[in-house]
Amino acid sequence: MMTQQDKAPFYKPLAIAITSAILLSACGGGSSGSGGSSTTTFSVTDAPVDDVEAVKVTFTRIDLKAASGSENDVSITFDEPVTIENLLDLTGNASTPILSEASIPPGDYNQLRIFVDGGFPNSTVTPEGGNKTDLYIPGQQNGNSNGNPQFLRLVSGFTIAAGSKSDFTIDFVLRKGLTKPANQDYYLLRPALRLVNNLEVGSISGSVSSTVVNHPECLLNEGNGAVYLYDEDLTTGDAMPEDYFDSELATGVRPIASAEVGQNESGEFTFTIGFVEAREAAYSVAYTCEPANDEPSTDDDINFTEVLSTTVTAGEESTVSFTVEPEVVVEEQPAQEAESNPV
């Protein structure tokens, strides 16, 4: 049976050049490690975003920053750029590799840098009902990168074990990272990323009752809503789920990933959040029918109908079901002044 990941488009660099304290070379299609090196694959996936039809991104290079010092850093330049024609095709458990089985020295790394070739035709956004528009990494717009290649920085510690095959997925959280500056004709892709080890991940899938999706309060909004994932159990204590807010001023518990709710052939409303790190501690998921009102640049007041907790086991799928309908908002009527009778 073909899985969603099997259906994902595959884009493979023909060759790459790797430089570090030790000079190595590898083919993107599958070189074997030598001299103690390990083979490593990096794939990409995406959390969805509203109001756009396509997000095309072209990658040119990956740098790994070694925890032991800059002399052990690794820089991987693709001989041919790797283009993902539409990141929006890679939701749920779908992913596609941008670097396959590269020979990389084992060790601890604390930072990943992904270099992007910004602007039309290499990286673009197609808004709903619109034309392709330039997509840049901040600093590329208006040609003001000062000649320096621009990259997305992911600060997340990870280990490449000696003599092993490592397999990582980079999750682009577009709902948080993709923005359109006011009065500008381009989009910016900011570093809203997650890095997960595919050997240590599971997924969360589930359903949303039709009585929830079709509730009058939800029908006021476009689409079928979205499910947000939180890094702690919000069903205990006083903490509440918050919206995406990409700011140093952000407080409260913010989502780490999300998934749009779709309708399958049987008419059921379902979702899948893939590549969730397996652990004993619980996560929370929350359903909202107002994801279109969630702008990452502002702290928005969106409503969630229900919050559920769940755990994730490596290689397994956890399931949840949302059944609680939204509260009906009753607008207060202005009090009428009582008529006074003359004495």
Side-chain angles (χ1 to χ4, degrees):
M1 180 176 179
M2 181 176 287
T3 65
Q4 189 175 12
Q5 185 165 353
D6 293 328
K7 295 178 183 178
F10 183 82
Y11 305 89
K12 180 174 66 176
L14 296 178
I16 57 176
I18 303 180
T19 59
S20 67
I22 305 173
L23 184 62
L24 303 169
S25 63
C27 293
S31 65
S32 59
S34 60
S37 291
S38 305
T39 61
T40 302
T41 295
F42 286 100
S43 301
V44 295
T45 189
D46 158 55
V49 67
D50 298 303
D51 301 327
V52 299
E53 296 178 354
V55 178
K56 176 183 178 181
V57 185
T58 297
F59 304 99
T60 60
R61 173 177 143 196
I62 291 178
D63 285 1
L64 309 180
K65 297 298 180 181
S68 57
S70 59
E71 66 276 8
N72 294 316
D73 289 351
V74 176
S75 182
I76 306 165
T77 300
F78 306 145
D79 281 355
E80 294 187 8
V82 181
T83 298
I84 306 298
E85 291 293 337
N86 190 2
L87 272 176
L88 302 185
D89 291 336
L90 304 176
T91 58
N93 287 317
S95 67
T96 195
I98 59 172
L99 177 66
S100 297
E101 297 186 353
S103 181
I104 296 177
D108 293 326
Y109 296 87
N110 55 22
Q111 189 179 126
L112 177 71
R113 295 180 177 182
I114 311 169
F115 291 76
V116 173
D117 191 356
F120 184 87
N122 301 309
S123 297
T124 60
V125 172
T126 305
E128 288 185 348
N131 298 319
K132 288 184 178 181
T133 305
D134 291 315
L135 174 63
Y136 296 113
I137 303 300
Q140 290 177 330
Q141 69 270 30
N142 303 321
N144 60 349
S145 59
N146 297 320
N148 297 316
Q150 298 297 300
F151 54 83
L152 297 170
R153 187 197 321 262
L154 198 165
V155 180
S156 177
F158 60 97
T159 299
I160 296 177
S164 69
K165 289 186 177 182
S166 299
D167 190 3
F168 298 96
T169 293
I170 304 162
D171 183 7
F172 282 74
V173 186
L174 290 183
R175 190 176 295 279
K176 180 179 179 181
L178 185 66
T179 61
K180 188 176 187 301
N183 302 319
Q184 300 295 334
D185 58 355
Y186 57 80
Y187 284 80
L188 293 177
L189 183 59
R190 301 182 184 278
L193 309 169
R194 284 192 309 136
L195 181 69
V196 293
N197 185 337
N198 290 341
L199 301 179
E200 302 173 356
V201 298
S203 61
I204 302 173
S205 297
S207 62
V208 182
S209 171
S210 60
T211 60
V212 178
V213 177
N214 294 320
H215 190 278
E217 291 295 325
C218 284
L219 291 178
L220 296 174
N221 305 280
E222 295 183 2
N224 301 317
V227 175
Y228 286 21
L229 173 66
Y230 297 87
D231 202 22
E232 60 183 81
D233 187 353
L234 298 178
T235 62
T236 62
D238 298 327
M240 301 293 290
E242 300 283 354
D243 65 312
Y244 281 108
F245 184 28
D246 187 18
S247 170
E248 296 178 354
L249 302 177
T251 57
V253 183
R254 304 290 171 172
I256 60 173
S258 63
E260 288 185 338
V261 175
Q263 190 171 21
N264 62 23
E265 295 179 354
S266 301
E268 299 172 319
F269 295 98
T270 62
F271 71 92
T272 297
I273 302 175
F275 306 100
V276 183
E277 182 181 359
R279 67 183 194 190
E280 293 184 3
Y283 292 93
S284 289
V285 285
Y287 172 75
T288 178
C289 48
E290 305 175 12
N293 298 330
D294 188 359
E295 294 291 340
S297 59
T298 58
D299 192 2
D300 304 300
D301 185 17
I302 66 173
N303 297 308
F304 296 88
T305 65
E306 188 176 4
V307 181
L308 303 172
S309 65
T310 185
T311 56
V312 174
T313 302
E316 297 184 8
E317 179 183 75
S318 302
T319 57
V320 298
S321 180
F322 292 96
T323 60
V324 175
E325 299 177 9
E327 295 181 0
V328 177
V329 178
V330 179
E331 296 183 1
E332 295 184 2
Q333 298 295 327
Q336 294 182 350
E337 296 183 1
E339 295 182 1
S340 58
N341 295 319
V343 178

